[in-house]
Amino acid sequence: MASEVRRSETHLTPSRANFMILVMTAVLGFVGLGYIGALVGYLVPRKGEGARPQSLGTVSATGVGDQQYTGGVAGPFVYDATGRGDAQGLYVVQNGSSVEMVLEQTCTHLGCPVAWTAASNTFNCPCHGSVFNKTGRNIGGPAPAPLHKHNFHVQNGQLIVEGRQG
């Protein structure tokens, strides 16, 4: 009796159709891995974000850089915290002749840019009506938290912003 050689049920016979199935599976697998890698890169924060120091200009009794104080607040200034072009707006709040604090322009409700209104001494959000006082504390509207403060120091007359406070 001659012995019979049987192929496994899972073994693919070489053909053009089977080759194309294998190639398309590999291509779609690599595309899927690319999407997963992009998603993970988006979700995992980079170390040191927001810690890039930047000068906003020379501090004087009348303003900072080319922005004059209006009701004790100068700005908004453009601040690129990461160096990648994702700029934020900042306001500088004055206390007498010195800088008291640096506040972020972004509303804590949904991220709209707030505007300083010197007549009412408040920051007002045009999107949903949140209102913040001069120190950034929320006093009206749906905002759940005060405006974010940024670390800063004055060095050789320059106001250096160092990133958002933790």
Side-chain angles (χ1 to χ4, degrees):
M1 271 182 126
S3 64
E4 288 186 34
V5 177
R6 298 192 66 174
R7 289 188 173 217
S8 162
E9 299 276 333
T10 59
H11 182 72
L12 297 175
T13 57
S15 70
R16 283 187 217 156
N18 288 339
F19 176 74
M20 288 306 295
I21 289 171
L22 181 66
V23 168
M24 290 306 293
T25 301
V27 167
L28 291 176
F30 284 121
V31 170
L33 285 175
Y35 278 111
I36 290 171
L39 180 67
V40 168
Y42 174 76
L43 294 176
V44 175
R46 294 187 174 117
K47 290 185 178 180
E49 289 291 330
R52 182 176 171 264
Q54 179 180 330
S55 173
L56 296 185
T58 304
V59 178
S60 70
T62 59
V64 177
D66 60 349
Q67 299 277 348
Q68 299 299 312
Y69 287 118
T70 306
V73 175
F77 294 91
V78 176
Y79 173 61
D80 184 7
T82 61
R84 294 193 325 257
D86 51 349
Q88 302 168 345
L90 297 178
Y91 285 102
V92 176
V93 180
Q94 175 188 36
N95 182 14
S97 62
S98 65
V99 175
E100 180 180 356
M101 67 183 68
V102 176
L103 296 173
E104 194 169 306
Q105 185 183 16
T106 308
C107 179
T108 54
H109 176 230
L110 291 177
C112 297
V114 298
W116 171 248
T117 308
S120 61
N121 243 11
T122 58
F123 293 99
N124 300 300
C125 180
C127 296
H128 299 103
S130 292
V131 181
F132 305 88
N133 67 8
K134 189 175 176 179
T135 62
R137 198 183 88 223
N138 48 333
I139 56 176
L147 294 175
H148 297 290
K149 294 180 182 179
H150 283 252
N151 294 318
F152 71 92
H153 68 275
V154 178
Q155 179 180 343
N156 298 328
Q158 296 286 316
L159 178 62
I160 310 294
V161 178
E162 300 170 338
R164 188 186 282 181
Q165 291 180 359

